[in-house]
């Protein structure tokens, strides 16, 4: 019987989704940078966020009293600001106030994930 090499989790996201999350958590100086991320960098962020989700104590140590499910925000700040400070807000801004560049339909959000999903799929094939 073969043994599993370890369980991993990857959050497949997109630069658009990361930008929206950063804006919602008050990171007004970072969300535009997120929009320009190449798919490979968004995939890196998703891998790190998945790792934090598998080890929640690690995320809690970086951002105590963080909102549940905020790993992507934390890792995006880490990647774009060069450190891992907690987000400026512990509660989200209302989505109705999103800047026009961040407004997207559900279909557009799902479509924006495709390039990153392709990178994640290729990395998985390369590992096996």
């Amino acid at each position: 019987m073969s043994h599993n090499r370890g369980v991993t989790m990857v959050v497949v996201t997109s630069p658009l989704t990361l930008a929206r999350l950063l804006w919602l958590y008050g990171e007004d100086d970072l969300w535009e940078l997120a929009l320009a991320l190449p798919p490979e960098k968004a995939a890196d962020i998703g891998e790190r966020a998945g790792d934090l989700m598998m080890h929640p104590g690690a995320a809690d140590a970086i951002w105590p009293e963080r909102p549940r499910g905020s790993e992507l925000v934390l890792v995006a700040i880490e990647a774009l600001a060069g450190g891992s400070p907690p987000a400026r807000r512990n509660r989200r801004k209302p989505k109705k106030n999103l800047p026009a560049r961040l407004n997207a339909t559900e279909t557009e959000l799902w479509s924006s994930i495709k390039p990153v999903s392709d990178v994640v799929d290729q990395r998985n094939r390369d590992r096996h």
Side-chain angles (χ1 to χ4, degrees), residues 8 22-23 36-38 43 47 52 56 62-63 75 87 89 94 100 102 108 110 112 124:
T8 60
L22 288 165
W23 182 87
L37 285 173
E47 287 180 11
L52 285 178
I62 298 167
W63 185 2
V75 177
R89 297 174 56 94
L102 298 179
E108 291 167 331
W110 281 109
S112 72
N124 285 332

Side-chain angles (χ1 to χ4, degrees), residues 65-125:
E65 300 181 32
R66 66 187 176 82
R68 196 174 71 165
S70 59
E71 291 87 357
L72 271 175
V73 174
L74 184 83
V75 177
I77 292 170
E78 186 178 81
L80 296 170
S84 43
R88 298 182 196 280
R89 297 174 56 94
N90 283 337
R91 300 187 69 159
R92 293 179 182 208
K93 295 179 189 177
K95 281 186 182 179
K96 67 180 181 180
N97 296 335
L98 277 168
R101 290 178 56 201
L102 298 179
N103 278 321
T105 65
E106 189 171 336
T107 300
E108 291 167 331
L109 287 170
W110 281 109
S111 294
S112 72
I113 291 173
K114 176 78 169 98
V116 180
S117 178
D118 292 344
V119 169
V120 171
D121 288 345
Q122 184 61 51
R123 288 178 179 178
N124 285 332
R125 284 190 294 275

